[in-house]
Amino acid sequence: MSAEALLEDPDLFLEEPLEPHDGTPVGEGRAQVRRILRLCREFVDLAEEHPSTLEYTPTKPHLAKMLHRLAGEDQYICRKLEEQGTPLNIQQECKLFLMRSKFDDFAAIRGALDQIEDRYAAEALPVLGGPWYRRWRHLAPKAAPKKAARGRPGGPAPQRARATAE
């Protein structure tokens, strides 16, 4: 049940989240960017050290989930906007950095992580996107308010059948 949550936040079950090496608190934007990228680099190192036997390794799909708060835009939309010459937001640019690297080229993947880091370093106050695990939540219909149960305080009184005399 925790697979996607752990991809998004690999140190989820640590008692205290790992802080960036400069001591900046984890929750701040720039510190959070560094933390996410550090975890991604560790993941790439492990993926290279222990190669997958699958034809198409899951390294990039896993990184896409880990980087969702930094590069969580739809790749189709990013490509179309770039083809049209439309200015891209930071998440769209970062999505393209990752997309351009081949799934089995660890040097290119590390280069994409460097580009993402450089792009976020240029932001005065980096704003992160939403979490991977809750990415579709905005599409969910609004829940209707719950009605009180019948016969309970605040709920409608139970209807009783009336006997008719004939």
Side-chain angles (χ1 to χ4, degrees):
M1 295 295 288
S2 64
E4 284 192 349
L6 283 169
L7 278 174
E8 178 186 337
D9 189 4
D11 62 0
L12 180 68
F13 292 119
L14 287 179
E15 287 185 29
E16 292 189 31
L18 298 174
E19 293 193 12
H21 298 293
D22 64 1
T24 310
V26 174
E28 293 182 16
R30 197 169 307 286
Q32 188 72 351
V33 170
R34 286 193 299 271
R35 180 183 152 277
I36 291 168
L37 289 168
R38 179 182 46 77
L39 290 168
C40 288
R41 286 187 176 100
E42 287 178 21
F43 173 73
V44 171
D45 290 344
L46 287 169
E48 188 172 33
E49 188 177 323
H50 306 280
S52 172
T53 58
L54 300 173
E55 182 178 358
Y56 296 103
T57 64
T59 306
K60 275 185 58 178
H62 282 32
L63 278 174
K65 291 167 183 71
M66 293 171 73
L67 289 167
H68 187 74
R69 297 199 64 206
L70 306 180
E73 293 289 330
D74 181 87
Q75 60 182 311
Y76 175 79
I77 292 171
C78 295
R79 284 184 180 153
K80 286 295 179 191
L81 291 174
E82 184 182 44
E83 287 171 8
Q84 296 167 358
T86 305
L88 304 174
N89 68 35
I90 188 170
Q91 289 196 349
Q92 292 165 339
E93 288 178 29
C94 292
K95 179 63 132 193
L96 290 174
F97 295 152
L98 185 61
M99 285 174 32
R100 290 181 182 127
S101 59
K102 289 184 66 176
F103 71 92
D104 58 352
D105 186 348
F106 292 105
I109 292 171
R110 284 188 184 91
L113 293 174
D114 291 342
Q115 288 179 300
I116 291 169
E117 183 174 33
D118 292 344
R119 183 62 183 89
Y120 271 94
E123 289 292 305
L125 182 62
V127 177
L128 305 182
W132 166 260
Y133 192 71
R134 299 178 181 266
R135 67 195 177 279
W136 303 113
R137 185 139 307 186
H138 70 282
L139 298 176
K142 300 285 185 214
K146 292 185 178 182
K147 294 180 182 176
R150 293 181 61 156
R152 295 197 178 146
Q159 300 293 321
R160 294 195 174 127
R162 294 185 186 194
T164 55
E166 290 191 40

